[in-house]
């Protein structure tokens, strides 16, 4: 697990759209907090959890990004955003993902029934949904996100406007060791 002594922030523009109103940039804010929590949100036609828009057919990948990057960012965003708010253990959550039970937050009772039928309502004594659990984000996910080209000369809340290279990245994560 990566250990960081300060919050790491990055602002990227993986894609844009050209239309009658000019060029509209799809910007994504990535924050990896020193406590290991990953937060991601976007700004395009609206703000917030707009990861589904990353595969909008009208988007054009920005310099340094490919269509595969847009899909990968979307997958990471869906999977790892707010990794400290898991209702289940990794085993319970994996079962839900594998069985395409994505909207568990909207029907807790039904999800508990499904987990109970799979003998997973309790996992090592933990009952699904009895508290928020933290799931560690894999190091390769964090390294990938912070290897993406950052916006330069522009900012959204004035942070990390210059890209960092891999040596700088590892210097940051190894501070204080």
């Amino acid at each position: 697990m990566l250990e960081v002594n300060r919050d790491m922030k990055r602002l990227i523009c993986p894609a844009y759209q050209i239309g009658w109103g000019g060029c509209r940039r799809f910007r994504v804010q990535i924050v990896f907090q020193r406590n290991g929590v990953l937060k991601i949100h976007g700004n395009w036609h609206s703000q917030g959890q707009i990861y589904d828009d990353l595969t909008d057919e009208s988007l054009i990948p920005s310099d340094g990004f490919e269509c595969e990057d847009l899909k990968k960012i979307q997958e990471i965003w869906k999977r790892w955003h707010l990794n400290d708010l898991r209702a289940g253990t990794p085993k319970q959550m994996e079962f839900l993902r594998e069985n395409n039970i994505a909207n568990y937050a909207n029907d807790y009772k039904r999800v508990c029934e499904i987990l109970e039928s799979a003998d997973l309502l309790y996992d090592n004594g933990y009952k699904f949904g009895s508290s928020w659990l933290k799931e560690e984000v894999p190091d390769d996910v964090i390294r990938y996100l912070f290897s993406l080209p950052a916006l330069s000369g522009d900012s959204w809340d004035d942070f990390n406007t210059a890209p960092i290279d891999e040596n700088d990245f590892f210097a940051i994560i190894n501070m204080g060791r």
Side-chain angles (χ1 to χ4, degrees), residues 1-72:
M1 179 183 88
L2 292 175
E3 293 181 31
V4 295
N5 294 330
R6 65 179 177 92
D7 292 354
M8 296 177 12
K9 301 176 181 178
R10 195 157 193 85
L11 178 66
I12 62 173
C13 178
Y16 61 94
Q17 176 190 56
I18 297 176
W20 289 103
C23 181
R24 186 166 48 168
R25 298 180 301 165
F26 193 120
R27 296 179 293 177
V28 177
Q29 178 183 358
I30 303 164
V31 179
F32 186 63
Q33 297 177 324
R34 76 184 85 187
N35 63 0
V37 175
L38 179 64
K39 296 181 177 181
I40 305 173
H41 75 275
N43 181 330
W44 183 37
H45 57 80
S46 62
Q47 290 189 22
Q49 299 307 300
I50 56 173
Y51 46 76
D52 284 334
D53 293 336
L54 266 173
T55 51
D56 185 294
E57 292 180 5
S58 68
L59 287 175
I60 302 165
S62 298
D63 287 343
F65 292 89
E66 303 291 332
C67 289
E68 293 78 31
D69 290 311
L70 304 184
K71 290 175 189 168
K72 186 170 182 175

Side-chain angles (χ1 to χ4, degrees), residues 24-168:
R24 186 166 48 168
R25 298 180 301 165
F26 193 120
R27 296 179 293 177
V28 177
Q29 178 183 358
I30 303 164
V31 179
F32 186 63
Q33 297 177 324
R34 76 184 85 187
N35 63 0
V37 175
L38 179 64
K39 296 181 177 181
I40 305 173
H41 75 275
N43 181 330
W44 183 37
H45 57 80
S46 62
Q47 290 189 22
Q49 299 307 300
I50 56 173
Y51 46 76
D52 284 334
D53 293 336
L54 266 173
T55 51
D56 185 294
E57 292 180 5
S58 68
L59 287 175
I60 302 165
S62 298
D63 287 343
F65 292 89
E66 303 291 332
C67 289
E68 293 78 31
D69 290 311
L70 304 184
K71 290 175 189 168
K72 186 170 182 175
I73 293 165
Q74 181 184 59
E75 290 169 7
I76 289 171
W77 194 341
K78 284 181 174 181
R79 174 67 175 88
W80 294 107
H81 171 68
L82 294 179
N83 57 300
D84 63 333
L85 296 177
R86 299 295 186 251
T89 64
K91 188 176 183 179
Q92 292 166 329
M93 298 303 291
E94 186 63 28
F95 174 82
L96 295 174
R97 279 190 291 277
E98 285 176 359
N99 291 282
N100 213 11
I101 305 168
N103 291 326
Y104 59 87
N106 296 329
D107 194 351
Y108 173 75
K109 184 179 177 184
R110 177 72 182 128
V111 171
C112 286
E113 291 169 357
I114 293 168
L115 287 170
E116 189 168 33
S117 70
D119 199 28
L120 283 173
L121 181 59
Y122 290 88
D123 182 20
N124 290 326
Y126 173 82
K127 182 182 179 192
F128 179 82
S130 59
S131 66
W132 291 119
L133 301 177
K134 181 179 171 189
E135 187 177 11
E136 298 299 328
V137 179
D139 293 353
D140 61 323
V141 168
I142 300 303
R143 285 189 179 102
Y144 172 76
L145 290 173
F146 284 86
S147 72
L148 296 170
L151 283 177
S152 181
D154 190 10
S155 65
W156 181 26
D157 294 338
D158 250 354
F159 65 80
N160 197 30
T161 56
I164 60 174
D165 66 23
E166 186 171 329
N167 291 332
D168 291 336

